[in-house]
Amino acid sequence: MSLGGQLTGWGAAVCLSLTLFIAGCSGSKSPDYGTFSGSVYTVKRGDTLYRISRMTNTSVATLARMNGISAPYTLQVGQKVRVKGSGSAKSTAMARATPAKSRASSAVAKSAAPPVGQRCWRWPASGKVIMPFSDADGGNKGIDIAGQRGQAIYAAGAGRVVYVGNQLRGYGNLIMIKHGEDYITAYAHNDTTQVNNGQQVKAGQKIATMGNTGADSVRLHFQIRYRATAIDPQRYLPPPGRSPSC
């Protein structure tokens, strides 16, 4: 079934937001990596083509074309994937965001981002941020917050639920909330969801419980998107453990 067919009745804007969300990040990367031999990467359990693309700074389309892999890009443990370059996956991932490139991409992103304080946000869950936001190519387009299974997840702001489902590979149980015309927040890897499509929610309302659907550890992957572009949530959230002052 096509993505449009899955979301009949929710309109092209929601479909576009979901498409951009897929391209942005999965937030399910773990500290363990497969192995390289020259320019060949050996797939380990839990790897996806999206994850390998982030680690090797190679687009999904390029990897798919080089290896003759068609959508939905299913991989097998032990499979050999040709990549550009060589070396360990960890060192490649660390070298991906060079200082010059990071400064350039950050400047572009911040210039297009809304001013801090334009909208009042609150933390969707308590816990340590284990993966920060990155605007590098293939970087994490949100933040990942570690926690306990069953821990409450709250709406970061008032709005209308525009997606509840698990059809998007790599995100598990996912909720998306639209806030006015410019903003959408996303909450991935939930254990249970407690809202429905079309439902109006209040800021701080419980919408889900934390889990690891689509991830290799219990966490919340949280995004704020401004006019479909991912922005760094930690620039707009209050200090950890505090309520918003607005």
Side-chain angles (χ1 to χ4, degrees):
M1 180 184 295
S2 69
L3 182 60
Q6 293 169 354
L7 299 173
T8 299
W10 290 103
V14 176
C15 292
L16 175 61
S17 296
L18 288 167
T19 301
L20 292 170
F21 183 78
I22 291 172
C25 105
S26 73
S28 59
K29 183 166 63 177
S30 78
D32 299 319
Y33 299 88
T35 58
F36 272 107
S37 177
S39 60
V40 176
Y41 179 86
T42 302
V43 176
K44 78 169 190 67
R45 189 175 188 84
D47 274 336
T48 66
L49 204 62
Y50 298 103
R51 181 179 180 187
I52 295 172
S53 77
R54 294 197 303 275
M55 289 189 292
T56 61
N57 197 26
T58 308
S59 72
V60 171
T62 298
L63 289 175
R65 184 177 64 254
M66 290 173 62
N67 293 277
I69 302 172
S70 57
Y73 309 127
T74 302
L75 300 176
Q76 303 295 324
V77 175
Q79 180 176 342
K80 307 296 184 183
V81 176
R82 292 173 54 216
V83 299
K84 290 182 177 181
S86 61
S88 72
K90 181 178 287 189
S91 63
T92 304
M94 294 297 289
R96 181 176 55 205
T98 61
K101 184 174 183 180
S102 294
R103 285 196 297 270
S105 60
S106 295
V108 172
K110 289 182 179 179
S111 66
V116 174
Q118 182 183 81
R119 196 173 183 96
C120 188
W121 300 107
R122 62 183 62 212
W123 281 85
S126 60
K128 180 181 179 181
V129 174
I130 55 175
M131 285 187 66
F133 176 88
S134 170
D135 54 20
D137 290 343
N140 192 28
K141 301 309 178 190
I143 58 174
D144 286 27
I145 304 170
Q148 302 297 317
R149 185 178 306 280
Q151 180 179 328
I153 295 171
Y154 305 99
R160 178 171 63 89
V161 178
V162 293
Y163 179 80
V164 179
N166 56 11
Q167 293 92 345
L168 302 186
R169 186 183 181 93
Y171 302 99
N173 295 326
L174 171 68
I175 295 172
M176 299 179 73
I177 300 175
K178 187 175 183 181
H179 312 268
E181 293 301 317
D182 292 333
Y183 292 92
I184 287 180
T185 54
Y187 313 75
H189 308 311
N190 305 309
D191 187 37
T192 63
T193 55
Q194 300 182 8
V195 290
N196 300 309
N197 282 321
Q199 181 177 338
Q200 294 288 336
V201 296
K202 299 177 181 179
Q205 179 177 333
K206 184 178 179 180
I207 59 172
T209 60
M210 196 178 294
N212 67 326
T213 56
D216 46 18
S217 64
V218 175
R219 66 180 66 197
L220 168 65
H221 174 70
F222 173 66
Q223 289 191 17
I224 300 177
R225 287 187 174 262
Y226 175 70
R227 297 178 181 174
T229 299
I231 57 178
D232 184 355
Q234 289 186 278
R235 290 191 64 217
Y236 300 91
L237 292 168
R242 296 187 186 178
S243 299
S245 58
C246 47

